[in-house]
């Protein structure tokens, strides 16, 4: 019986070649998009699951609260004393491990590089996380101070084919570190990727941090703290909720009160599951950029919608050919076929078509994977397609797609009585096409929604690119701070400016495009006395030239100046800080103000400038003059950029011949802030195009069938004097009505979805009316061109040929 089903299915595919081509192409493209999205989603959901103890590992987060109890700063790190104290006070904690990423200048022989991702980690790191150790003893490699392990690529970079274990490298031109092992890089699906692992006990050295600081410093929340919970009764872990419930009392027990507030009143500790970090962690400080589970839901829905559009194509063309297939069903029933056999016949045709489409879809996926990997910076591979778990899902999706696509002819057509079918009594029911109209509207509503979304994302990205940030970000070269004396720095600066390639030069603790995470307790003049400031005021250490280097405008007062020796204790606010303190810029000038190390007065108020990304609200900012402890040097260039870079490099090498000239540009960092949105814009454009393509394939097939059905009607109309233009309009009108209905349905849905998406930006564009008009007009034009091909062909046909059989 199955052989007979397949034989008839192949005959029908050959008999209706055009319809078969349209169906197979549409379903293949739909399945290919679905599979590519499924691979991407599978990869995103697999982060950190390579760890054998992943279900028992949690990260400690610390959130600071403002005076009204609302979160003011959400950190994925905690202060150093928390780790040992959690292990001491909570018996359910099997292991607690701390890490911190410092980076720095690493030297071995002639090799010298500025390296990031140097993680100082406690010796029990390997008892919590899975590492593949190439050489060295994991039980002892991170025990002794000034020990360091290299990842295999870094070992090859510095030592070539030599065995690095036992060799000595120099860190920041200050400390000799002994190499104690080599490890394989962590999988791509990890939330952190250390290139080097250094012993945490090195931090006990007072030149670096000091044992006292590790025990008592509650303000430096830079330490990644992980807790491995003991196994629970049901194979999981101990209850993390019980630990969280005890954290307030735990904090009050150890953390000093501030301004009369217990620690639990201004700080909250929480635990986040390791496998939730990549997609569900949205703190102000992450080890690496994270994803977002909402995007996973969004792209999963898009994949399903595109597959649904392909299924709708099949169902549309099946209903279009329903009259002919109904007679076939009637004849089969007359000669004794059971309804279950007919259902099996139709479903076998559908599943066969989807199976053929799947083969083409897999080839498309293999062809598209390299481009997708380049675009998303992932390492998706064909092997993941044949993973047993994924393969079972693939087979299930194929069968489900075949069943959904073939459901209408299988269950609807086989329900008619054979006598009614053969007498033609159901022909009008089949030709009315109500279901076809609903399906066409559904297709185009999805496609129009994607077009509207693409337009809105494009407008928002253009809005970001054109937005005035309040500072000059173009042609600003960034270098890690040299950490050298002020005298040498000033000499270097003057020589660079004399080259004519540099406009100015400034130093700071952070640079625009990064987060403002540093803050101090502040007091300001309120009435006749100094009082604590109850606003969330962020800090930035700058030198005399930072504000002028970035061409930041002054709203009142003046910039820091070398002409005033007392400026090292003065403060400059931005307009937002002055406003939140209840002052106009002019009123703020001269006010006594104490903030961290600055205990003087406010000498200036800058105009607001967007230091952070436009996802964030303008932060209240206090700039403190400093002469050391900087992290960055900002060098605005003039003239030809490549030539200017070479001039800067030449001077740099004169002063620091052993230091690598590792630079980046500020505008490139700024662009990376919106990589996720730019990726989304491109993907929306691609998916919208695919949705329109598949929808138009179906529309082309429908218009071709309708032209065949109405051949005699067109002939009669031409004999009675109808023009070709009127016939084309008549033929196209019904389809255009459906597209317009789809526009009316899609517009409010797309508006709501994109309004929600835009809420993620503190500064955003409006959703303009013309976006909907553009999406509707574009869709109508594409649909009209698709339908018109068959309309014109039918209108130009000789009526004698269409009527001679009558």
């Amino acid at each position: 019986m199955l052989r007979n089903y397949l034989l008839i299915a192949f005959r029908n595919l050959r008999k209706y070649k055009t319809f078969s081509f349209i169906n197979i192409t549409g379903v293949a493209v739909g399945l290919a998009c679905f599979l590519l999205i499924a691979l991407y989603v599978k990869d995103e959901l697999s982060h950190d699951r390579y760890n054998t103890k992943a279900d028992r590992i949690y990260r400690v987060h610390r959130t600071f609260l403002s005076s009204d109890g609302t979160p003011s700063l959400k950190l994925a790190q905690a202060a150093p004393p928390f780790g040992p104290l959690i292990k001491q006070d909570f018996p359910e904690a099997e292991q607690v491990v701390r890490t911190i990423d410092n980076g720095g200048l690493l030297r071995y022989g002639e090799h010298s590089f500025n390296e990031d991702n140097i993680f100082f980690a406690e010796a029990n790191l390997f008892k919590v996380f899975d590492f593949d150790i190439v050489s060295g003893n994991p039980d002892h490699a991170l025990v002794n101070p000034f020990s360091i392990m290299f990842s295999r690529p870094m070992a090859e970079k510095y030592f070539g084919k030599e065995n690095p274990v036992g060799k000595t490298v120099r860190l920041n031109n200050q400390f000799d570190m002994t190499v104690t092992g080599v490890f394989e890089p962590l999988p791509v699906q990890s939330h952190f990727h250390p290139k080097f692992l250094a012993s945490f006990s090195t931090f006990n050295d007072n030149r670096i941090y000091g044992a006292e600081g590790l025990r008592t410093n509650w303000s430096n929340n830079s330490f990644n703290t992980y807790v491995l919970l003991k196994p629970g009764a049901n194979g999981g872990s101990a209850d993390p909720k019980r630990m969280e419930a005890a954290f307030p009392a735990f904090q009050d027990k150890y953390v000093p009160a501030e301004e009369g507030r217990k620690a639990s009143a201004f700080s909250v500790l929480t635990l986040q599951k390791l496998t939730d970090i990549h997609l569900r962690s949205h703190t102000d400080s992450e080890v690496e950029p994270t994803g977002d589970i909402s995007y996973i839901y969004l792209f999963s829905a898009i994949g399903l919608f595109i597959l649904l559009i392909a299924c709708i194509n099949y169902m549309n063309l099946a209903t279009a050919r329903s009259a002919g297939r109904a007679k076939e069903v009637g004849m089969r029933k007359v000669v004794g076929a059971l309804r279950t056999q007919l259902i099996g016949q139709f479903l076998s045709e559908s599943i066969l078509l989807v199976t053929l489409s799947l083969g083409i879809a897999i080839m498309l996926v293999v062809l598209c994977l390299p481009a997708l990997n380049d675009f998303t910076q992932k390492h998706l591979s064909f092997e993941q397609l044949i993973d047993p778990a994924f393969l079972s899902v693939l087979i299930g999706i194929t069968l489900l797609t075949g069943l959904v696509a073939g459901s209408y002819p299988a269950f609807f057509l086989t329900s008619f009585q054979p006598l009614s079918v053969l007498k033609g009594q159901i022909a009008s029911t089949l030709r009315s096409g109500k279901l076809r109209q609903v399906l066409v509207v559904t297709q185009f509503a999805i496609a129009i929604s994607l077009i509207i979304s693409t337009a809105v994302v494009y407008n928002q990205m253009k809005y970001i690119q054109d937005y005035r940030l309040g500072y000059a970000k173009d042609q600003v070269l960034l270098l890690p701070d040299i950490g050298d004396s002020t005298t040498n720095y000033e000499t270097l600066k003057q020589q660079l400016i004399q080259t004519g390639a540099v406009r100015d030069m400034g130093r700071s603790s952070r640079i625009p495009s990064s987060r403002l995470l540093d803050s101090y307790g502040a007091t300001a003049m309120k009435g006749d006395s100094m009082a604590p400031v109850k606003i969330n005021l962020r800090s930035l250490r700058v030198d005399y030239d930072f504000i002028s280097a970035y061409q930041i405008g002054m709203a009142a007062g003046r910039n820091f100046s070398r002409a005033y020796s007392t400026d090292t204790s003065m403060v400059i606010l931005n307009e937002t800080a002055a406003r939140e303190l209840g002052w106009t810029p002019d009123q703020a000038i001269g006010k006594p103000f104490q903030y961290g190390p600055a205990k003087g007065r406010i000498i200036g108020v800058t105009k607001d400038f967007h230091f952070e990304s436009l996802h964030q609200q303008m932060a209240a900012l206090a700039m403190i003059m400093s002469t050391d402890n900087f992290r960055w040097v900002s060098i605005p260039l003039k003239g030809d950029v490549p030539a200017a870079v070479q001039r800067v490099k030449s001077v740099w090498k004169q002063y620091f011949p052993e230091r690598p000239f590792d630079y980046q540009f500020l505008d490139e960092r700024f662009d990376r802030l919106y990589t996720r949105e730019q990726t989304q814009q491109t993907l929306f454009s691609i998916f919208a195009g695919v949705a329109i393509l598949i929808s138009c394939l179906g529309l082309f097939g429908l218009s071709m069938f309708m032209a065949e059905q109405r051949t005699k009607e067109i002939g009669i109309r031409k004999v009675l004097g109808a023009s070709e233009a009127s016939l084309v309009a008549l033929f196209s009108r019904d389809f255009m009505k459906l597209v317009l209905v789809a526009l009316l349905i899609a517009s409010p849905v797309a508006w709501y979805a994109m309004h929600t998406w835009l809420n993620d930006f503190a500064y955003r564009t409006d959703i303009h009316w013309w976006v909907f008009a553009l999406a509707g007009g574009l869709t109508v034009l594409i649909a009209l061109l698709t339908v018109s091909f068959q309309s014109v062909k039918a209108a130009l046909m000789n009526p004698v040929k269409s009527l001679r059989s009558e």
Side-chain angles (χ1 to χ4, degrees):
M1 184 64 73
L2 180 61
R3 180 176 175 275
N4 183 56
Y5 287 164
L6 294 175
L7 182 62
I8 295 172
F10 273 114
R11 286 175 179 170
N12 278 320
L13 288 177
R14 289 200 305 269
K15 183 178 179 180
Y16 303 103
K17 292 183 178 65
T18 303
F19 290 109
S20 298
F21 172 78
I22 291 172
N23 277 327
I24 290 174
T25 303
V27 174
V29 173
L31 275 172
C33 285
F34 178 83
L35 290 176
L36 288 170
I37 291 174
L39 284 172
Y40 177 84
V41 169
K42 178 177 179 289
D43 182 83
E44 286 287 286
L45 293 174
S46 67
H47 271 67
D48 290 303
R49 296 186 184 277
Y50 68 89
N51 288 288
T52 55
K53 302 169 186 174
D55 289 338
R56 295 195 285 130
I57 302 173
Y58 291 79
R59 185 173 67 178
V60 179
H61 288 196
R62 192 179 190 189
T63 300
F64 287 90
L65 307 177
S66 59
S67 56
D68 60 2
T70 58
S72 61
L73 186 63
K74 298 179 180 179
L75 301 176
Q77 293 81 26
F82 279 119
L85 293 174
I86 288 175
K87 182 70 171 70
Q88 171 186 301
D89 281 30
F90 293 92
E92 54 264 62
E94 181 178 314
Q95 297 285 341
V96 177
V97 61
R98 294 170 294 176
T99 70
I100 184 169
D101 177 14
N102 265 24
L105 177 66
L106 201 62
R107 180 190 310 280
Y108 175 73
E110 300 298 321
H111 300 292
S112 177
F113 301 95
N114 281 314
E115 298 288 5
D116 57 4
N117 291 353
I118 301 177
F119 280 78
F120 288 80
E122 291 187 287
N124 61 338
L125 177 74
F126 305 120
K127 295 180 180 179
V128 178
F129 295 99
D130 291 3
F131 278 80
D132 183 4
I133 306 299
V134 177
S135 60
N137 186 337
D139 294 330
H140 302 98
L142 298 178
V143 172
N144 296 324
F146 301 101
S147 300
I148 189 169
M149 299 179 72
F150 279 58
S151 65
R152 180 183 48 75
M154 292 299 103
E156 293 171 355
K157 175 180 174 181
Y158 282 84
F159 304 103
K161 296 182 179 180
E162 297 180 44
N163 180 9
V165 176
K167 291 187 166 36
T168 301
V169 295
R170 188 82 170 163
L171 179 63
N172 291 332
N173 284 330
Q174 292 179 288
F175 309 105
D176 288 327
M177 309 285 291
T178 302
V179 181
T180 55
V182 177
F183 61 93
E184 287 290 346
L186 289 181
V188 176
Q189 297 85 3
S190 175
H191 76 283
F192 74 120
H193 294 88
K195 297 177 182 176
F196 309 87
L197 291 171
S199 54
F200 195 86
S201 56
T202 307
F203 267 51
N204 288 318
D205 192 298
N206 287 328
R207 295 171 296 170
I208 298 175
Y209 201 92
E212 182 66 17
L214 292 175
R215 287 193 300 270
T216 61
N217 189 338
W218 297 98
S219 60
N220 181 7
N221 294 277
S222 304
F223 293 78
N224 306 297
T225 306
Y226 301 92
V227 179
L228 173 66
L229 297 182
K230 292 179 179 177
N234 298 319
S237 67
D239 185 11
K241 296 297 182 185
R242 196 202 73 80
M243 286 184 67
E244 287 184 332
F247 277 157
F250 168 75
Q251 283 198 93
D252 292 340
K253 177 180 177 182
Y254 293 107
V255 183
E258 291 184 5
E259 300 173 2
R261 301 168 68 197
K262 290 183 177 180
S264 58
F266 63 81
S267 169
V268 175
L269 292 182
T270 54
L271 295 176
Q272 182 170 52
K273 197 171 184 179
L274 178 69
T275 51
D276 286 343
I277 289 175
H278 179 64
L279 292 175
R280 292 181 170 85
S281 183
H282 306 292
T283 66
D284 293 315
S285 64
E286 291 289 346
V287 180
E288 293 181 7
T290 59
D292 192 330
I293 191 64
S294 62
Y295 286 96
I296 299 303
Y297 294 145
L298 175 64
F299 289 126
S300 298
I302 289 174
L304 290 172
F305 281 143
I306 288 178
L307 191 57
L308 177 62
I309 289 175
C311 291
I312 287 174
N313 266 4
Y314 183 92
M315 296 175 72
N316 267 338
L317 296 178
T319 59
R321 293 193 292 122
S322 56
R325 298 306 298 269
K327 290 181 180 179
E328 176 192 338
V329 170
M331 288 297 297
R332 287 179 180 274
K333 282 193 172 184
V334 167
V335 297
L338 299 175
R339 189 186 180 200
T340 53
Q341 293 173 323
L342 295 172
I343 290 173
Q345 172 64 56
F346 282 110
L347 291 180
S348 65
E349 287 184 22
S350 175
I351 292 173
L352 173 64
L353 183 140
V354 173
T355 303
L356 292 173
S357 301
L358 177 63
I360 298 173
I362 290 175
M363 289 189 286
L364 290 173
V365 168
V366 173
L367 290 174
C368 294
L369 267 180
L372 182 64
N373 284 331
D374 288 342
F375 182 63
T376 60
Q377 298 301 302
K378 288 189 174 293
H379 298 80
L380 307 177
S381 64
F382 177 74
E383 285 70 22
Q384 292 173 285
L385 279 174
I386 55 178
D387 173 73
F390 193 82
L391 200 58
S392 61
V393 172
L394 183 58
I395 293 171
I397 289 294
T398 302
L399 292 174
L400 181 62
T401 303
L403 293 174
V404 170
S407 59
Y408 175 81
F411 294 99
F412 181 65
L413 292 180
T414 59
S415 65
F416 292 120
Q417 293 300 317
L419 187 59
S420 301
V421 174
L422 296 177
K423 285 184 175 181
Q425 294 175 354
I426 65 165
S428 60
T429 302
L430 294 171
R431 289 195 181 96
S432 63
K434 297 295 183 184
L435 177 60
R436 288 201 301 275
Q437 293 175 1
V438 171
L439 294 177
V440 169
V441 168
T442 303
Q443 275 186 314
F444 278 93
I446 295 171
I448 291 170
S449 296
L450 289 173
I451 292 174
I452 292 172
S453 300
T454 301
V456 172
V457 173
Y458 172 80
N459 285 341
Q460 176 62 16
M461 295 311 298
K462 191 171 188 309
Y463 176 85
I464 288 172
Q465 291 164 0
D466 296 341
Y467 194 88
R468 293 181 62 85
L469 299 174
Y471 61 88
K473 70 177 177 66
D474 295 328
Q475 297 185 197
V476 178
L477 184 141
L478 304 170
L479 289 167
D481 184 60
I482 53 178
D484 209 349
S485 68
T486 302
T487 303
N488 286 346
Y489 170 80
E490 291 295 332
T491 305
L492 171 67
K493 176 187 172 184
Q494 292 306 318
Q495 188 165 343
L496 284 172
I497 291 176
Q498 288 172 9
T499 65
V502 172
R503 174 173 56 80
D504 207 336
M505 190 166 165
R507 294 193 288 180
S508 58
S509 57
R510 296 183 184 270
I511 51 173
S513 75
S514 60
R515 294 302 308 273
L516 289 165
L517 301 177
D518 308 313
S519 62
Y520 299 100
T523 56
M525 182 62 70
K526 293 290 183 181
D528 297 328
S529 61
M530 300 290 287
V533 169
K534 294 184 178 181
I535 67 169
N536 183 21
L537 187 62
R538 304 297 170 87
S539 72
L540 179 68
R541 292 193 309 276
V542 300
D543 69 355
Y544 292 107
D545 305 305
F546 176 84
I547 291 175
S548 61
Y550 279 97
Q551 297 180 331
I552 299 168
M554 299 298 297
R558 62 175 178 84
N559 188 7
F560 295 116
S561 172
R562 293 174 177 82
Y564 300 92
S565 60
T566 57
D567 273 8
T568 53
S569 61
M570 301 300 171
V571 176
I572 293 178
L573 305 179
N574 66 354
E575 288 177 305
T576 296
R579 183 169 56 253
E580 292 186 10
L581 288 165
W583 302 322
T584 65
D586 290 325
Q587 290 172 341
I589 303 303
K591 289 280 196 303
F593 199 84
Q594 296 182 6
Y595 189 64
K599 304 184 186 304
R601 295 179 180 273
I602 299 168
I603 62 170
V605 176
T606 68
K607 294 180 179 179
D608 279 338
F609 60 98
H610 290 274
F611 196 93
E612 301 176 301
S613 92
L614 295 180
H615 288 98
Q616 313 298 327
Q617 292 284 355
M618 183 71 68
L621 178 64
M623 283 169 277
I624 305 168
M625 228 300 294
S626 181
T627 57
D628 55 15
N629 292 323
F630 298 116
R631 298 180 186 176
W632 293 96
V633 179
S634 301
I635 308 175
L637 304 179
K638 296 191 300 185
D640 181 62
V641 173
V645 171
Q646 289 303 314
R647 292 182 188 177
V648 173
K649 180 178 180 180
S650 176
V651 174
W652 176 273
K653 285 298 184 181
Q654 292 176 24
Y655 282 81
F656 310 106
E658 296 181 349
R659 283 182 176 268
F661 184 69
D662 293 335
Y663 69 90
Q664 53 186 299
F665 282 98
L666 181 62
D667 55 351
E668 293 174 353
R669 283 179 58 97
F670 184 81
D671 289 341
R672 287 197 294 270
L673 291 175
Y674 309 103
T675 299
R676 186 170 66 182
E677 287 74 23
Q678 290 165 348
T679 300
Q680 190 176 19
Q681 175 188 342
T682 304
L683 290 177
F684 269 136
S685 301
I686 293 171
F687 294 143
V690 169
I692 283 290
L693 171 65
I694 298 174
S695 299
C696 286
L697 274 174
L699 203 59
F700 180 81
L702 281 179
S703 63
M704 185 172 67
F705 177 81
M706 296 305 293
E708 292 175 3
Q709 292 292 100
R710 302 177 71 174
T711 299
K712 290 181 175 60
E713 176 191 344
I714 292 170
I716 292 171
R717 288 181 180 275
K718 289 194 73 174
V719 168
L720 295 176
S723 65
E724 282 85 357
S726 65
L727 290 173
V728 171
L730 173 70
F731 200 84
S732 305
R733 185 171 56 213
D734 291 340
F735 289 109
M736 294 307 101
K737 287 179 181 177
L738 299 179
V739 174
L740 291 174
V741 171
L743 175 63
L744 293 176
I745 294 172
S747 294
V749 174
W751 179 89
Y752 177 78
M754 298 317 296
H755 179 75
T756 303
W757 179 80
L758 285 171
N759 283 338
D760 191 40
F761 293 86
Y763 301 90
R764 50 188 176 268
T765 186
D766 295 323
I767 303 178
H768 303 285
W769 65 268
W770 58 262
V771 170
F772 302 95
L774 176 66
L778 182 63
T779 308
V780 167
L781 178 62
I782 295 172
L784 189 60
L785 291 173
T786 304
V787 174
S788 293
F789 178 81
Q790 289 298 328
S791 303
V792 172
K793 182 180 176 182
L796 293 176
M797 186 180 294
N798 189 337
V800 174
K801 291 183 178 180
S802 59
L803 297 175
R804 65 185 175 183
S805 61
E806 294 298 319

